[in-house]
């Protein structure tokens, strides 16, 4: 399907969107670092459980080491909510007036319009693309990304947008 341009997308950078954006970063350019961090966290959690429970099992009079279990549980919670936490922190760092945007995709590039101003982007700046059921995530670096809400399309279809981005960047789209 040949994409028709311009394609317009309105996006609200709320917690759900920022969580999806953090997941997109983690699953693309941060993939290797994330995997290493998760393995190390898994080892620390296992050690925390063993050192927390082992004294009570080996010597019945000894109590459970609650601090070790608490540390393991806290690390597990952080690991399970990593994307939400990163999205929350990104929202705190966002400039005022950038919580809502409209992107206009043309053949030679696209622009994003917020209350702060308009920014023109070249497709070559995109390093990776991720897609969830609702969002398209454009990754620019290990710390910078944009998200576009497919339900916010005011002109064009999600398929046309994905086809345009794939054609212009030459990058595969990673499914989230």
């Amino acid at each position: 399907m040949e994409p028709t341009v311009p394609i317009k997308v309105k996006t609200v950078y709320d917690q759900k969107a920022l969580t999806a954006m953090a997941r997109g970063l983690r699953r693309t350019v941060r993939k290797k670092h994330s995997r290493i961090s998760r393995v190390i966290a898994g080892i620390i959690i296992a050690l925390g459980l063993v050192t927390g429970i082992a004294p009570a099992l080996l010597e019945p009079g000894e109590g459970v080491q609650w601090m070790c279990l608490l540390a393991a549980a806290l690390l597990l919670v952080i690991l399970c909510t990593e994307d939400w936490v990163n999205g929350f922190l990104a929202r705190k760092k966002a400039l005022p007036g950038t919580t809502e945007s409209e992107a206009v995709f043309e053949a030679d590039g696209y622009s994003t319009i917020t209350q702060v101003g308009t920014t023109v982007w070249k497709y070559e700046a995109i390093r990776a693309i991720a897609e969830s059921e609702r969002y398209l995530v454009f990754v620019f670096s290990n710390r910078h990304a944009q998200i576009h809400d497919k339900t916010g399309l005011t002109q064009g279809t999600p398929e046309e947008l994905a086809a345009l981005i794939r054609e212009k960047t030459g990058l595969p789209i990673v499914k989230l």
Side-chain angles (χ1 to χ4, degrees):
M1 171 192 318
E2 184 66 29
T4 58
V5 289
I7 298 172
K8 296 183 179 182
V9 184
K10 288 190 179 197
T11 303
V12 176
Y13 280 75
D14 57 7
Q15 184 61 44
K16 189 172 187 175
L18 291 169
T19 300
M21 189 168 67
R23 186 176 302 113
L25 280 164
R26 181 173 55 84
R27 298 245 180 112
T28 56
V29 294
R30 293 182 184 173
K31 191 173 191 172
K32 182 178 178 183
H33 182 266
S34 178
R35 188 177 301 132
I36 291 168
S37 297
R38 286 176 176 266
V39 167
I40 291 170
I43 292 168
I44 293 171
I45 289 169
L47 287 173
L49 292 174
V50 168
T51 58
I53 297 172
L57 296 176
L58 296 175
E59 296 181 31
E62 285 290 314
V64 174
Q65 300 294 323
W66 292 108
M67 288 304 284
C68 291
L69 291 177
L70 181 64
L74 183 63
L75 189 54
L76 183 63
V77 167
I78 290 171
L79 200 60
C80 292
T81 61
E82 171 185 9
D83 296 329
W84 187 91
V85 170
N86 285 334
F88 177 80
L89 294 174
R91 188 167 58 164
K92 294 296 179 191
K93 291 180 182 179
L95 294 172
T98 59
T99 56
E100 293 182 12
S101 74
E102 181 177 21
V104 180
F105 294 89
E106 301 281 350
D108 58 338
Y110 70 101
S111 58
T112 54
I113 302 135
T114 64
Q115 291 176 349
V116 176
T118 301
T119 306
V120 178
W121 302 88
K122 296 289 182 191
Y123 293 114
E124 296 84 33
I126 301 171
R127 282 184 45 196
I129 308 161
E131 181 179 33
S132 71
E133 187 79 23
R134 182 173 173 181
Y135 300 103
L136 262 177
V137 180
F138 299 168
V139 178
F140 299 108
S141 70
N142 287 350
R143 293 177 170 250
H144 299 96
Q146 275 181 351
I147 194 154
H148 301 283
D149 189 345
K150 293 188 285 186
T151 63
L153 279 158
T154 58
Q155 193 171 332
T157 66
E159 294 79 19
E160 288 176 327
L161 178 58
L164 176 70
I165 298 304
R166 248 192 320 268
E167 175 190 322
K168 296 299 181 180
T169 64
L171 298 170
I173 296 179
V174 176
K175 295 289 183 191
L176 298 181

